[in-house]
């Protein structure tokens, strides 16, 4: 298979520039989510007893997503399934936020998550995140 054929069917690795831009986008997603984490901690500290658990759950989710974005920025073609899980998870929140309508926090959260989906999807394409599924990258000892 020639390099041109490999590139046409999506096997070729990304250009250095595309890879760096994609990694920076994943890092930006992590930074934005880390800011949400800090804000969530402040909301949890001041939460009423009836909101304490849900705020704590939301904060832990922000921490998990921030960590996942860091993993994607550091090893974009070695995280088989992580790109897809993150994209589906965030897209589901956008859809849910749009469906429930004018509920406090839902509209703003859906808009923010839509931005994250756009950033992460761009990073996925630029870094060619689907290459993580190749057998050579799912088993680093090969």
């Amino acid at each position: 298979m020639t390099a041109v054929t490999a590139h046409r069917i999506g096997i070729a690795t990304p250009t250095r520039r595309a890879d760096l831009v994609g990694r920076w986008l994943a890092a930006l997603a992590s930074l934005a989510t880390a800011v949400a984490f800090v804000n969530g901690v402040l909301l949890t500290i001041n939460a009423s007893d009836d909101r304490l658990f849900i705020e704590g759950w939301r904060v832990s989710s922000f921490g998990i997503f921030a960590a996942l974005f860091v993993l994607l920025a550091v090893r974009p073609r070695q995280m088989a399934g992580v790109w897809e899980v993150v994209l589906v998870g965030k897209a589901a929140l956008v859809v849910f936020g749009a469906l429930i309508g004018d509920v406090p926090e839902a509209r703003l959260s859906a808009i923010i998550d839509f931005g994250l989906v756009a950033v992460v999807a761009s990073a996925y394409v630029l870094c060619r995140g689907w290459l993580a599924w190749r057998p050579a990258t799912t088993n680093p000892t090969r």
Side-chain angles (χ1 to χ4, degrees):
M1 179 182 319
T2 67
V4 173
T5 305
H7 180 70
R8 282 190 185 143
I9 62 173
I11 295 175
T13 57
T15 65
R16 179 164 167 71
R17 175 182 225 126
D19 187 56
L20 288 174
V21 171
R23 287 172 185 252
W24 278 108
L25 287 173
L28 176 66
S30 180
L31 178 63
T33 307
V35 169
F37 176 84
V38 171
N39 184 55
V41 168
L42 297 174
L43 289 172
T44 302
I45 290 170
N46 297 316
S48 61
D49 288 345
D50 64 328
R51 298 269 314 158
L52 193 56
F53 179 80
I54 197 68
E55 293 298 339
W57 178 79
R58 185 187 332 197
V59 168
S60 70
S61 295
F62 287 145
I64 290 166
F65 272 97
L68 289 172
F69 292 139
V70 167
L71 290 173
L72 293 173
V74 173
R75 302 184 72 183
R77 285 169 301 284
Q78 287 80 35
M79 297 287 128
V82 176
W83 286 106
E84 294 82 2
V85 166
V86 166
L87 283 168
V88 168
K90 287 297 176 182
L93 289 173
V94 171
V95 170
F96 186 64
L99 289 176
I100 63 173
D102 196 21
V103 173
E105 302 174 24
R107 183 165 290 149
L108 178 60
S109 293
I111 291 168
I112 291 169
D113 281 328
F114 179 79
L116 275 173
V117 168
V119 167
V120 175
S122 298
Y124 180 74
V125 170
L126 288 166
C127 290
R128 297 184 185 253
W130 60 87
L131 294 178
W133 290 99
R134 292 185 308 180
T137 57
T138 56
N139 183 355
T141 59
R142 287 187 181 178

